Structure formats: C-alpha cells, structure tokens
C-alpha cells in the first residue's frame, strides 16, 4: 500500500495516494513512511495546514526522524 501510494504521488494523483496511505495506516498505525506519505499527499492536494499538523505530531513522536523534519520544513515554507 505504501509503494502504491508513492506511485500515486509520482503520478500526481493525491486523492488515490491519500486513500492508499490511510489504508496502510489502518494495517499498521505506526508506519512512519505511510504517515509521511499521507502528509505529502495532503500537501499535494492543497491541504498543507493538515499536512503540517500531521508532520508536527510525527516529529514530536520521533525527534530523530530527519525525513520528517525535512518534509515539515518544506510544508512550512510552502504555506
């Protein structure tokens, strides 16, 4: 599901990506790649504020997650 979500993001289909990442999180709610992918999908679909909130929660839970901080910075700059 995560790979499918990433593929959807690469094809600029954020709505399908959101569905895929949400399903992946239903299977494993602690999957950091799915959480990052969901935030990226939300950002791509124009919901940057929600993406920022999700990334803030993720980096708070995992302060050493470099990819999370990078994505958070990108979202903040975009907003």
């Amino acid at each position: 599901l995560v790979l499918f979500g990433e593929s959807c993001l690469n094809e600029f289909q954020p709505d399908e990506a959101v569905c895929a990442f949400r399903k992946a999180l239903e299977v494993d709610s602690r999957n950091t790649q799915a959480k990052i992918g969901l935030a990226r999908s939300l950002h791509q679909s124009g919901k940057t504020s929600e993406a920022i909130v999700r990334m803030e929660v993720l980096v708070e839970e995992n302060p050493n997650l470099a990819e999370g901080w990078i994505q958070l910075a990108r979202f903040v700059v975009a907003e």
Side-chain angles (χ1 to χ4, degrees), residues 21-74:
F21 289 122
R22 284 194 172 141
K23 287 180 184 177
L25 288 169
E26 286 175 12
V27 173
D28 179 10
S29 63
R30 295 170 34 191
N31 186 323
T32 57
Q33 288 307 114
K35 289 179 181 182
I36 291 170
L38 178 57
R40 289 178 54 220
S41 303
L42 291 167
H43 170 65
Q44 198 175 84
S45 65
K47 299 175 183 171
T48 303
S49 295
E50 185 179 348
I52 289 171
V53 170
R54 288 182 178 272
M55 289 310 300
E56 287 175 339
V57 169
L58 181 61
V59 296
E60 186 176 307
E61 294 170 351
N62 304 293
N64 294 327
L65 185 63
E67 186 178 358
W69 287 106
I70 291 168
Q71 291 300 327
L72 178 58
R74 287 179 180 160

